[in-house]
Amino acid sequence: MAGNRRVDRRNGGGEASPVRLIAVAVILIGLVLVSLRLLPGSPFESSAAAQWGDAGSGTSDRPTGSGTDRSARQPSSPSPKPSPSLEPLPFAAKDLDLNIEGWYSWSVLDRRTGKIIGSKNMGETSTTASMIKAWIVADYLRRAADAGQTPSDAKLADATRIIRDSDNTRAEQFYNQVDREASIKRLISMCKLTDSSVAPDKGWSRTALSPRDTARMGNCIVTGTAAGPKWTKWLLNEMKLVRGAGDFGIRKAFPASEQKKIAIKNGWIDRTKEQEMHINCLAIGDTWTMGVMVKYPINMGYDYGMKNCEKITEALLRPGT
């Protein structure tokens, strides 16, 4: 009977409506998705759940009931590897007590660090004599390149004679071309010398340099500041080929196999006014530059000072060099 099939909807009885079924399905799907987002390793894992693990590896590092501080388990940054220590220079800093007549001084510059070691009097000066020719040629070559000029073969041959053979006549010609004392002022400025000075109207030979500034001048040459990028390699090669009377001093203290790798320019002159011999040595190695200077009574001759440049260097070399 129709009356018997009436349903009291107020008490929730009877058949479920389609709307209610859809609502229940939506709720169930939502619960499943939430569970999947919280399940480690699930493709639906939420960023909130993943924050405890390594997203790249998929591993989990969730905090446990032990209360362990999460930050204590974070991977620590790797400790920086110590920089490899530099090989020691072939020279050891020491006070020399050599049986040498007169005055002597020395200095070594570490090209890798800029550190300078030397005798207590390494800032005292002496006249350079021919040692300054390395700068004069460098200054000439750099200025020519800066002006967009290439020296002729004849000019380069002259420069070779100045460096290898210490030709005075050609050195004077180059000195005039680089404006004489103005060139020495550039040397002091460009190479950051602290002890040296120009000798006005007295020529290149009377330029005053210290062993410390000699080492700095050598560094200025090898770094390319003096001759410029175009001519530095050429100049260093010429300095390695110094020959004849000018081939003495610092590099002679090294084994024969090493000597040809060391660039040099030396100076030697008898100063009648002071009644002194002035002998000076500049050398440029792979990692260092060095200056040695000696002064002694004029009647002792050149050879005494030339050998003492070598003797001073030998006394400073580390065993096995």
Side-chain angles (χ1 to χ4, degrees):
M1 293 175 60
N4 292 334
R5 297 203 314 266
R6 293 183 62 186
V7 178
D8 187 358
R9 299 182 184 280
R10 292 173 299 174
N11 296 324
E15 297 175 0
S17 71
V19 173
R20 294 184 65 185
L21 290 173
I22 292 171
V24 170
V26 168
I27 292 171
L28 290 174
I29 292 171
L31 291 172
V32 170
L33 290 175
V34 169
S35 299
L36 288 173
R37 286 170 61 82
L38 295 175
L39 182 65
S42 165
F44 299 99
E45 183 181 10
S46 70
S47 59
Q51 69 177 332
W52 302 103
D54 184 346
S57 64
T59 58
S60 175
D61 191 19
R62 297 174 185 272
T64 64
S66 64
T68 303
D69 185 0
R70 161 190 155 203
S71 63
R73 293 191 305 276
Q74 290 287 344
S76 58
S77 300
S79 301
K81 294 181 180 180
S83 301
S85 57
L86 296 175
E87 288 291 325
L89 293 179
F91 309 97
K94 62 177 74 172
D95 292 328
L96 300 182
D97 185 15
L98 304 176
N99 185 25
I100 295 177
E101 185 79 17
W103 172 92
Y104 63 93
S105 180
W106 65 273
S107 184
V108 173
L109 184 149
D110 188 333
R111 290 177 47 207
R112 303 162 301 180
T113 64
K115 181 180 178 181
I116 296 175
I117 60 173
S119 55
K120 293 178 181 178
N121 60 351
M122 65 179 173
E124 296 180 14
T125 64
S126 184
T127 64
T128 61
S130 293
M131 188 174 69
I132 199 66
K133 292 172 183 173
W135 166 260
I136 294 172
V137 170
D139 198 29
Y140 170 81
L141 293 171
R142 186 195 69 259
R143 283 159 58 84
D146 288 348
Q149 301 169 356
T150 299
S152 65
D153 290 344
K155 272 294 179 185
L156 289 178
D158 286 345
T160 290
R161 291 287 298 276
I162 293 170
I163 299 299
R164 296 192 197 183
D165 302 315
S166 210
D167 187 289
N168 287 335
T169 301
R170 289 173 172 82
E172 184 68 20
Q173 293 169 354
F174 272 55
Y175 191 54
N176 287 330
Q177 289 182 284
V178 294
D179 299 328
R180 301 185 69 80
E181 288 89 352
S183 177
I184 306 305
K185 291 178 181 178
R186 285 192 293 273
L187 163 64
I188 293 170
S189 174
M190 292 177 64
C191 299
K192 297 179 172 55
L193 309 189
T194 59
D195 313 316
S196 305
S197 60
V198 178
D201 303 321
K202 294 182 180 179
W204 46 264
S205 176
R206 280 279 182 179
T207 301
L209 250 64
S210 66
R212 176 166 56 192
D213 278 353
T214 297
R216 287 169 173 154
M217 182 175 73
N219 190 55
C220 193
I221 291 171
V222 73
T223 58
T225 300
K230 183 176 181 179
W231 292 105
T232 294
K233 184 177 180 180
W234 183 92
L235 177 58
L236 287 170
N237 185 64
E238 293 300 311
M239 293 174 70
K240 291 174 183 176
L241 297 174
V242 168
R243 58 199 176 192
D247 185 12
F248 64 86
I250 295 170
R251 74 175 175 187
K252 292 294 187 181
F254 286 80
S257 59
E258 293 294 316
Q259 291 180 23
K260 61 184 179 181
K261 302 176 185 178
I262 300 173
I264 65 168
K265 190 71 190 88
N266 298 320
W268 61 104
I269 194 168
D270 52 336
R271 296 291 185 199
T272 54
K273 181 180 178 180
E274 294 90 346
Q275 285 295 292
E276 292 176 338
M277 302 296 296
H278 291 190
I279 311 295
N280 311 300
C281 299
L282 163 66
I284 301 172
D286 288 339
T287 57
W288 53 269
T289 61
M290 185 177 191
V292 178
M293 292 181 156
V294 296
K295 291 187 287 191
Y296 53 93
I298 196 170
N299 61 353
M300 300 182 74
Y302 292 112
D303 196 53
Y304 181 77
M306 292 174 173
K307 287 183 177 179
N308 279 327
C309 268
E310 182 179 346
K311 181 178 180 179
I312 291 166
T313 307
E314 285 178 343
L316 295 168
L317 288 178
R318 295 180 185 275
T321 298

